[in-house]
Amino acid sequence: MGGSDTTKPPNCIRISSINHGGIKPSLYPGILHQAALQQIDIQGYPEHNLNTLKYQVRKQLSQHLKRHNQHSKSIWSTSATPTLSDFKPGGTALITLGKTSDRVKDMVADPLGRWCYTLLDGRAGREILIIIIYQCVKPTNNTGQATHHQQTLQLSLMNRPNTNPRFNFHKDLSKLLRTHQQRNPHCVPIILGDFNETCHGTSNSAKLCTEFNLVDVWSCLLYTSPSPRDKR
């Protein structure tokens, strides 16, 4: 851990998450360069707002990453809801840079675009499960292409009795964590991203901390909870 202005100690991995409010493929090389300057090994991007269902978008992102570092790996998520534009609200991305990519065992994207994860090989049978999440907010309008609308549609197509995106976010992410920890009791989860809420009370982030014995790093570093828009 540590701020981006601190020197990274040897033999450690620096993990970062930043919400740019959307990523344009043409600006992606500059974003990767900035991550390299900050000695970041794993970079998460919640709410990238890209339609990565489109081949041309995926191709551009892949080419930029390989030019930056041919050994790096990436996983991008978006919902299955089709859009004509390259712009599409929501989604997440996780980029594993440089030699850290040699430790990648698996990369998986959530079909609703709520998260994606990278599973790293650790020492003595341990695994590190790094998950980048984006929990949507309820929009003010009843129709549209907002992340909330996309997920509500997809949950309906999945025949879920409750199609509330935030309810299902907690339900499905809990199931994912439980599955990995049952598979390997030495699997250590790290969740980063944009919860769009403060970590207290009955919030989904607070419930996850309680259920899986997780620590809210913000409260440890700052001795307080950040505002919902700062919890990234």
Side-chain angles (χ1 to χ4, degrees):
M1 297 302 296
S4 60
D5 58 342
T6 62
T7 301
K8 186 178 72 172
N11 301 318
C12 77
I13 294 176
R14 174 168 282 177
I15 305 171
S16 169
S17 170
I18 182 169
N19 188 335
H20 284 287
I23 295 176
K24 293 182 178 180
S26 60
L27 301 179
Y28 189 39
I31 293 173
L32 292 171
H33 179 67
Q34 187 63 31
L37 291 178
Q38 296 175 346
Q39 299 178 291
I40 292 169
D41 301 293
I42 300 177
Q43 178 67 65
Y45 299 113
E47 198 181 15
H48 57 65
N49 292 343
L50 281 173
N51 185 3
T52 52
L53 293 179
K54 297 182 70 173
Y55 169 75
Q56 194 60 36
V57 173
R58 297 197 307 273
K59 181 180 178 181
Q60 289 182 66
L61 295 171
S62 177
Q63 288 176 339
H64 287 317
L65 182 60
K66 292 305 179 184
R67 291 192 190 105
H68 174 77
N69 187 307
Q70 62 178 346
H71 301 294
S72 299
K73 297 178 180 179
S74 65
I75 180 77
W76 297 75
S77 77
T78 189
S79 79
T81 303
T83 60
L84 295 177
S85 171
D86 290 353
F87 173 82
K88 183 180 177 183
T92 62
L94 202 56
I95 318 299
T96 307
L97 299 164
K99 63 181 182 180
T100 305
S101 62
D102 293 338
R103 299 174 60 184
V104 173
K105 297 180 68 174
D106 197 12
M107 298 187 298
V108 176
D110 172 57
L112 276 71
R114 301 169 294 183
W115 57 73
C116 54
Y117 71 77
T118 294
L119 187 67
L120 298 182
D121 189 18
R123 295 178 180 175
R126 285 195 175 187
E127 295 174 332
I128 299 92
L129 178 65
I130 302 173
I131 309 172
I132 178 73
I133 64 92
Y134 178 69
Q135 181 174 228
C136 69
V137 296
K138 186 174 181 179
T140 55
N141 53 323
N142 294 324
T143 59
Q145 291 290 335
T147 311
H148 188 279
H149 297 134
Q150 295 175 42
Q151 294 179 13
T152 300
L153 173 61
Q154 294 301 315
L155 290 164
S156 177
L157 293 173
M158 295 164 65
N159 295 318
R160 292 284 180 97
N162 184 337
T163 59
N164 182 289
R166 291 175 74 93
F167 170 84
N168 284 280
F169 176 92
H170 173 261
K171 176 183 176 182
D172 294 342
L173 185 54
S174 294
K175 181 180 179 181
L176 173 67
L177 292 169
R178 195 171 296 110
T179 298
H180 277 279
Q181 293 191 329
Q182 288 174 349
R183 178 186 55 79
N184 182 356
H186 302 292
C187 181
V188 179
I190 300 175
I191 304 174
L192 55 152
D194 193 343
F195 279 92
N196 278 308
E197 64 186 15
T198 52
C199 186
H200 69 84
T202 59
S203 67
N204 281 340
S205 51
K207 287 189 287 187
L208 289 168
C209 287
T210 301
E211 292 168 16
F212 296 95
N213 197 28
L214 303 177
V215 176
D216 176 18
V217 177
W218 274 103
S219 63
C220 293
L221 293 178
L222 305 178
Y223 306 104
T224 185
S225 294
S227 69
R229 296 304 298 173
D230 288 336
K231 191 172 181 59
R232 298 170 176 174

